[in-house]
Amino acid sequence: MFDISFGWIGVAIIVFRESLEAGLVSLIILTYLVRINRRDLSKYVYSGIGLAILLSVILGSLISFVYSELSDVGADLFEVVAGFIAVPVLTFMIIWMAKNAKKIRGELEERLQVFISRNYLIGIMVLSLTTVAREGLETVLFLITFIGSSTFSTVIGSIIGILLTLGSLWTINKGFTKIKLQSIFKYTSLLIIILAAGILFKTVNEMVNLLADNGISLGVLGHLAYYLDIPEGSAFSDKGLIGGIFSAFTGYMTYSTWIGIIVYILYWVIASILFYKTYVQ
């Protein structure tokens, strides 16, 4: 019987967002080649995409292997460190992409024009490789935060995320020139911010537990701020049907320390300001 947790929801969101970015960049390149009647050069684009995916899979497999060899304490420490690294990187990248979305197409087409005019066709493959590999490496980094979830959940979430991406790219391709990249990133960025806040919330509370197990106290900050006496078998526990889905998307837990709540609120204040300045102003 397969072991599945609701972690697949977070995995699906991350894979969808990151693969959508990679897909949009690839679509821009392929659309440009069609427009200048050089569809024959598409093979270089697909080669770059294939290599990027291969590199990401190899890296992900390597990290998964290393994690499986760690002791219980080492695995907990690994997850905490991964969470603290992933959240700021995740937040920075969605803001960076939002600010640069308007000029990405122009910059890509200019570089393609130079490669083609100089007959530097391998440059097309390198361009596809580097742009897609960046998204692939980011995906691997973010998925590390779900490494404690079941493998089956991770696979299911990844498949769902990829299917959503393929459907979205097909739709966009039908009217690609009418789509504004910034509009797409605006709504997916909001989903990622919600998810990142939840990851940070869980990571901080897990850090407190890890420190406490090793005799390190954070004083009042490490004390429980609330504890919901919900049976583990209940649908509203963080592993139940309703609570599990809510937990996977928002980081909901049946308990939290004071520092967990403080950090969660601070992140939302900072993320909200960045989101407002990027998409609203």
Side-chain angles (χ1 to χ4, degrees):
M1 185 174 181
F2 292 116
D3 175 24
I4 185 168
S5 69
F6 292 102
W8 66 266
I9 298 175
V11 172
I13 293 172
I14 288 177
V15 171
F16 170 64
R17 165 64 192 233
E18 295 302 317
S19 58
L20 180 62
E21 288 185 12
L24 286 172
V25 171
S26 301
L27 193 56
I28 289 172
I29 296 174
L30 291 169
T31 301
Y32 177 75
L33 294 179
V34 171
R35 193 166 73 240
I36 63 171
N37 295 318
R38 292 305 307 268
R39 193 189 296 266
D40 57 300
L41 301 180
S42 298
K43 60 184 179 182
Y44 295 100
V45 181
Y46 291 120
S47 296
I49 294 173
L51 285 174
I53 293 174
L54 179 62
L55 288 174
S56 300
V57 171
I58 291 174
L59 178 60
S61 301
L62 179 61
I63 292 175
S64 180
F65 172 76
V66 171
Y67 176 82
S68 66
E69 296 298 311
L70 295 174
S71 63
D72 290 341
V73 175
D76 290 340
L77 180 60
F78 185 92
E79 291 180 31
V80 168
V81 172
F84 281 127
I85 293 175
V87 170
V89 173
L90 186 64
T91 305
F92 171 79
M93 289 310 302
I94 61 176
I95 298 301
W96 180 88
M97 180 59 74
K99 290 182 177 179
N100 291 274
K102 291 182 178 180
K103 56 183 180 181
I104 286 177
R105 181 181 301 180
E107 290 179 350
L108 283 173
E109 291 182 352
E110 286 179 9
R111 293 174 68 179
L112 285 169
Q113 187 176 12
V114 171
F115 291 149
I116 295 172
S117 63
R118 296 179 180 179
N119 203 35
Y120 182 56
L121 303 184
I122 197 67
I124 299 175
M125 185 184 74
V126 174
L127 180 62
S128 301
L129 170 63
T130 53
T131 52
V132 175
R134 183 187 65 199
E135 304 301 336
L137 295 178
E138 287 175 17
T139 302
V140 171
L141 172 62
F142 305 148
L143 290 186
I144 292 175
T145 60
F146 295 90
I147 201 166
S149 300
S150 71
T151 301
F152 188 60
S153 294
T154 302
V155 172
I156 289 296
S158 299
I159 291 174
I160 292 174
I162 291 171
L163 290 176
L164 287 172
T165 298
L166 292 175
S168 299
L169 290 175
W170 182 84
T171 302
I172 291 171
N173 190 40
K174 291 301 180 178
F176 186 69
T177 56
K178 300 178 182 179
I179 296 295
K180 292 183 179 180
L181 297 184
Q182 194 172 29
S183 297
I184 296 174
F185 295 138
K186 177 179 180 179
Y187 299 106
T188 56
S189 292
L190 183 57
L191 288 176
I192 290 294
I193 287 175
I194 294 172
L195 185 62
I199 291 173
L200 183 60
F201 182 62
K202 285 186 175 181
T203 299
V204 172
N205 283 305
E206 288 172 0
M207 176 198 70
V208 175
N209 291 335
L210 182 61
L211 292 175
D213 290 341
N214 288 274
I216 301 174
S217 173
L218 296 180
V220 176
L221 291 176
H223 291 173
L224 284 177
Y226 71 83
Y227 174 73
L228 304 178
D229 191 15
I230 299 176
E232 189 172 331
S234 170
F236 294 96
S237 72
D238 50 18
K239 293 183 179 179
L241 177 60
I242 299 175
I245 294 174
F246 196 54
S247 175
F249 191 60
T250 67
Y252 157 74
M253 300 175 71
T254 55
Y255 76 93
S256 176
T257 58
W258 282 109
I259 191 172
I261 292 178
I262 291 171
V263 171
Y264 184 76
I265 293 174
L266 284 176
Y267 176 80
W268 265 111
V269 170
I270 296 171
S272 297
I273 293 173
L274 290 174
F275 188 84
Y276 178 80
K277 288 185 175 181
T278 304
Y279 290 107
V280 181
Q281 277 191 335

mmCIF file of all heavy atoms in Angstrom, residues 158-182:
data_model
loop_
_atom_site.group_PDB
_atom_site.id
_atom_site.type_symbol
_atom_site.label_atom_id
_atom_site.label_comp_id
_atom_site.label_asym_id
_atom_site.label_seq_id
_atom_site.Cartn_x
_atom_site.Cartn_y
_atom_site.Cartn_z
ATOM 1 N N SER A 158 4.505 16.139 -8.115
ATOM 2 C CA SER A 158 5.291 16.557 -9.281
ATOM 3 C C SER A 158 4.536 16.306 -10.580
ATOM 4 O O SER A 158 4.534 17.153 -11.486
ATOM 5 C CB SER A 158 6.633 15.803 -9.302
ATOM 6 O OG SER A 158 7.392 16.088 -8.145
ATOM 7 N N ILE A 159 3.890 15.156 -10.672
ATOM 8 C CA ILE A 159 3.125 14.819 -11.886
ATOM 9 C C ILE A 159 1.970 15.804 -12.078
ATOM 10 O O ILE A 159 1.741 16.303 -13.190
ATOM 11 C CB ILE A 159 2.584 13.375 -11.802
ATOM 12 C CG1 ILE A 159 3.743 12.384 -11.884
ATOM 13 C CG2 ILE A 159 1.571 13.119 -12.924
ATOM 14 C CD1 ILE A 159 3.329 10.939 -11.676
ATOM 15 N N ILE A 160 1.265 16.101 -10.992
ATOM 16 C CA ILE A 160 0.146 17.045 -11.073
ATOM 17 C C ILE A 160 0.648 18.426 -11.486
ATOM 18 O O ILE A 160 0.051 19.097 -12.342
ATOM 19 C CB ILE A 160 -0.590 17.142 -9.722
ATOM 20 C CG1 ILE A 160 -1.315 15.825 -9.434
ATOM 21 C CG2 ILE A 160 -1.596 18.296 -9.720
ATOM 22 C CD1 ILE A 160 -1.952 15.748 -8.063
ATOM 23 N N GLY A 161 1.768 18.859 -10.885
ATOM 24 C CA GLY A 161 2.337 20.159 -11.235
ATOM 25 C C GLY A 161 2.734 20.242 -12.697
ATOM 26 O O GLY A 161 2.494 21.253 -13.370
ATOM 27 N N ILE A 162 3.331 19.165 -13.201
ATOM 28 C CA ILE A 162 3.757 19.132 -14.603
ATOM 29 C C ILE A 162 2.552 19.137 -15.541
ATOM 30 O O ILE A 162 2.545 19.825 -16.578
ATOM 31 C CB ILE A 162 4.646 17.901 -14.858
ATOM 32 C CG1 ILE A 162 5.986 18.067 -14.133
ATOM 33 C CG2 ILE A 162 4.881 17.702 -16.361
ATOM 34 C CD1 ILE A 162 6.850 16.832 -14.136
ATOM 35 N N LEU A 163 1.532 18.357 -15.198
ATOM 36 C CA LEU A 163 0.320 18.320 -16.025
ATOM 37 C C LEU A 163 -0.359 19.692 -16.083
ATOM 38 O O LEU A 163 -0.831 20.124 -17.144
ATOM 39 C CB LEU A 163 -0.651 17.271 -15.488
ATOM 40 C CG LEU A 163 -0.235 15.802 -15.673
ATOM 41 C CD1 LEU A 163 -1.247 14.878 -15.011
ATOM 42 C CD2 LEU A 163 -0.088 15.468 -17.160
ATOM 43 N N LEU A 164 -0.410 20.373 -14.948
ATOM 44 C CA LEU A 164 -0.976 21.721 -14.902
ATOM 45 C C LEU A 164 -0.169 22.673 -15.776
ATOM 46 O O LEU A 164 -0.723 23.523 -16.483
ATOM 47 C CB LEU A 164 -1.009 22.243 -13.462
ATOM 48 C CG LEU A 164 -2.057 21.628 -12.534
ATOM 49 C CD1 LEU A 164 -1.841 22.108 -11.104
ATOM 50 C CD2 LEU A 164 -3.467 21.972 -13.006
ATOM 51 N N THR A 165 1.147 22.500 -15.743
ATOM 52 C CA THR A 165 2.025 23.345 -16.556
ATOM 53 C C THR A 165 1.795 23.108 -18.040
ATOM 54 O O THR A 165 1.671 24.053 -18.828
ATOM 55 C CB THR A 165 3.500 23.066 -16.224
ATOM 56 O OG1 THR A 165 3.742 23.392 -14.853
ATOM 57 C CG2 THR A 165 4.415 23.905 -17.105
ATOM 58 N N LEU A 166 1.739 21.836 -18.427
ATOM 59 C CA LEU A 166 1.537 21.511 -19.841
ATOM 60 C C LEU A 166 0.200 22.059 -20.341
ATOM 61 O O LEU A 166 0.111 22.590 -21.460
ATOM 62 C CB LEU A 166 1.598 19.996 -20.039
ATOM 63 C CG LEU A 166 2.970 19.345 -19.813
ATOM 64 C CD1 LEU A 166 2.862 17.822 -19.931
ATOM 65 C CD2 LEU A 166 3.993 19.889 -20.804
ATOM 66 N N GLY A 167 -0.833 21.926 -19.508
ATOM 67 C CA GLY A 167 -2.140 22.469 -19.889
ATOM 68 C C GLY A 167 -2.104 23.980 -20.025
ATOM 69 O O GLY A 167 -2.678 24.549 -20.965
ATOM 70 N N SER A 168 -1.415 24.634 -19.104
ATOM 71 C CA SER A 168 -1.312 26.099 -19.135
ATOM 72 C C SER A 168 -0.529 26.565 -20.350
ATOM 73 O O SER A 168 -0.917 27.525 -21.023
ATOM 74 C CB SER A 168 -0.633 26.606 -17.855
ATOM 75 O OG SER A 168 -1.380 26.260 -16.709
ATOM 76 N N LEU A 169 0.581 25.881 -20.648
ATOM 77 C CA LEU A 169 1.411 26.266 -21.796
ATOM 78 C C LEU A 169 0.659 26.061 -23.110
ATOM 79 O O LEU A 169 0.797 26.859 -24.040
ATOM 80 C CB LEU A 169 2.710 25.453 -21.798
ATOM 81 C CG LEU A 169 3.703 25.782 -20.687
ATOM 82 C CD1 LEU A 169 4.887 24.811 -20.729
ATOM 83 C CD2 LEU A 169 4.207 27.216 -20.817
ATOM 84 N N TRP A 170 -0.127 24.989 -23.175
ATOM 85 C CA TRP A 170 -0.920 24.752 -24.387
ATOM 86 C C TRP A 170 -1.917 25.884 -24.599
ATOM 87 O O TRP A 170 -2.092 26.383 -25.711
ATOM 88 C CB TRP A 170 -1.648 23.410 -24.267
ATOM 89 C CG TRP A 170 -2.447 23.065 -25.496
ATOM 90 C CD1 TRP A 170 -1.995 22.471 -26.632
ATOM 91 C CD2 TRP A 170 -3.834 23.348 -25.704
ATOM 92 N NE1 TRP A 170 -3.023 22.344 -27.539
ATOM 93 C CE2 TRP A 170 -4.163 22.879 -26.999
ATOM 94 C CE3 TRP A 170 -4.834 23.942 -24.930
ATOM 95 C CZ2 TRP A 170 -5.445 22.989 -27.518
ATOM 96 C CZ3 TRP A 170 -6.105 24.046 -25.450
ATOM 97 C CH2 TRP A 170 -6.408 23.576 -26.731
ATOM 98 N N THR A 171 -2.558 26.288 -23.499
ATOM 99 C CA THR A 171 -3.539 27.374 -23.570
ATOM 100 C C THR A 171 -2.872 28.687 -23.956
ATOM 101 O O THR A 171 -3.369 29.436 -24.803
ATOM 102 C CB THR A 171 -4.249 27.548 -22.210
ATOM 103 O OG1 THR A 171 -4.873 26.308 -21.851
ATOM 104 C CG2 THR A 171 -5.293 28.642 -22.294
ATOM 105 N N ILE A 172 -1.741 28.960 -23.327
ATOM 106 C CA ILE A 172 -1.008 30.202 -23.603
ATOM 107 C C ILE A 172 -0.525 30.232 -25.046
ATOM 108 O O ILE A 172 -0.577 31.267 -25.713
ATOM 109 C CB ILE A 172 0.185 30.340 -22.635
ATOM 110 C CG1 ILE A 172 -0.319 30.592 -21.207
ATOM 111 C CG2 ILE A 172 1.113 31.475 -23.059
ATOM 112 C CD1 ILE A 172 0.759 30.520 -20.156
ATOM 113 N N ASN A 173 -0.065 29.103 -25.531
ATOM 114 C CA ASN A 173 0.465 29.033 -26.887
ATOM 115 C C ASN A 173 -0.591 29.358 -27.932
ATOM 116 O O ASN A 173 -0.285 29.852 -29.020
ATOM 117 C CB ASN A 173 1.042 27.640 -27.152
ATOM 118 C CG ASN A 173 1.829 27.571 -28.445
ATOM 119 O OD1 ASN A 173 2.564 28.492 -28.782
ATOM 120 N ND2 ASN A 173 1.678 26.480 -29.169
ATOM 121 N N LYS A 174 -1.861 29.108 -27.601
ATOM 122 C CA LYS A 174 -2.933 29.396 -28.545
ATOM 123 C C LYS A 174 -3.148 30.902 -28.728
ATOM 124 O O LYS A 174 -3.622 31.347 -29.758
ATOM 125 C CB LYS A 174 -4.234 28.748 -28.068
ATOM 126 C CG LYS A 174 -4.224 27.227 -28.135
ATOM 127 C CD LYS A 174 -3.990 26.741 -29.554
ATOM 128 C CE LYS A 174 -3.980 25.225 -29.634
ATOM 129 N NZ LYS A 174 -3.794 24.747 -31.038
ATOM 130 N N GLY A 175 -2.777 31.651 -27.728
ATOM 131 C CA GLY A 175 -2.903 33.107 -27.854
ATOM 132 C C GLY A 175 -1.745 33.784 -27.167
ATOM 133 O O GLY A 175 -1.917 34.717 -26.381
ATOM 134 N N PHE A 176 -0.557 33.293 -27.450
ATOM 135 C CA PHE A 176 0.644 33.703 -26.706
ATOM 136 C C PHE A 176 0.900 35.198 -26.737
ATOM 137 O O PHE A 176 1.300 35.796 -25.729
ATOM 138 C CB PHE A 176 1.852 32.952 -27.250
ATOM 139 C CG PHE A 176 3.112 33.198 -26.450
ATOM 140 C CD1 PHE A 176 3.227 32.697 -25.162
ATOM 141 C CD2 PHE A 176 4.147 33.935 -26.972
ATOM 142 C CE1 PHE A 176 4.366 32.916 -24.421
ATOM 143 C CE2 PHE A 176 5.290 34.158 -26.240
ATOM 144 C CZ PHE A 176 5.413 33.649 -24.963
ATOM 145 N N THR A 177 0.706 35.839 -27.882
ATOM 146 C CA THR A 177 1.022 37.266 -27.989
ATOM 147 C C THR A 177 0.098 38.128 -27.140
ATOM 148 O O THR A 177 0.389 39.284 -26.874
ATOM 149 C CB THR A 177 0.935 37.731 -29.453
ATOM 150 O OG1 THR A 177 -0.378 37.417 -29.954
ATOM 151 C CG2 THR A 177 1.973 37.038 -30.303
ATOM 152 N N LYS A 178 -1.032 37.584 -26.707
ATOM 153 C CA LYS A 178 -1.984 38.359 -25.918
ATOM 154 C C LYS A 178 -1.751 38.197 -24.407
ATOM 155 O O LYS A 178 -2.394 38.854 -23.608
ATOM 156 C CB LYS A 178 -3.413 37.919 -26.258
ATOM 157 C CG LYS A 178 -3.784 38.119 -27.729
ATOM 158 C CD LYS A 178 -5.185 37.604 -27.983
ATOM 159 C CE LYS A 178 -5.552 37.742 -29.458
ATOM 160 N NZ LYS A 178 -6.923 37.222 -29.730
ATOM 161 N N ILE A 179 -0.844 37.311 -24.058
ATOM 162 C CA ILE A 179 -0.616 37.024 -22.643
ATOM 163 C C ILE A 179 0.485 37.916 -22.080
ATOM 164 O O ILE A 179 1.538 38.069 -22.684
ATOM 165 C CB ILE A 179 -0.222 35.539 -22.453
ATOM 166 C CG1 ILE A 179 -1.372 34.644 -22.880
ATOM 167 C CG2 ILE A 179 0.171 35.260 -21.009
ATOM 168 C CD1 ILE A 179 -2.609 34.785 -22.026
ATOM 169 N N LYS A 180 0.230 38.505 -20.934
ATOM 170 C CA LYS A 180 1.243 39.280 -20.230
ATOM 171 C C LYS A 180 1.868 38.395 -19.168
ATOM 172 O O LYS A 180 1.189 37.911 -18.273
ATOM 173 C CB LYS A 180 0.612 40.511 -19.583
ATOM 174 C CG LYS A 180 0.108 41.544 -20.590
ATOM 175 C CD LYS A 180 -0.428 42.770 -19.868
ATOM 176 C CE LYS A 180 -0.908 43.819 -20.866
ATOM 177 N NZ LYS A 180 -1.436 45.023 -20.172
ATOM 178 N N LEU A 181 3.191 38.208 -19.271
ATOM 179 C CA LEU A 181 3.873 37.334 -18.337
ATOM 180 C C LEU A 181 3.718 37.818 -16.899
ATOM 181 O O LEU A 181 3.597 37.026 -15.967
ATOM 182 C CB LEU A 181 5.364 37.242 -18.689
ATOM 183 C CG LEU A 181 5.706 36.635 -20.048
ATOM 184 C CD1 LEU A 181 7.215 36.527 -20.203
ATOM 185 C CD2 LEU A 181 5.068 35.273 -20.215
ATOM 186 N N GLN A 182 3.713 39.140 -16.712
ATOM 187 C CA GLN A 182 3.623 39.670 -15.361
ATOM 188 C C GLN A 182 2.301 39.288 -14.702
ATOM 189 O O GLN A 182 2.235 39.057 -13.493
ATOM 190 C CB GLN A 182 3.791 41.189 -15.369
ATOM 191 C CG GLN A 182 4.042 41.769 -13.982
ATOM 192 C CD GLN A 182 4.393 43.230 -14.023
ATOM 193 O OE1 GLN A 182 3.963 43.954 -14.916
ATOM 194 N NE2 GLN A 182 5.170 43.684 -13.052
#
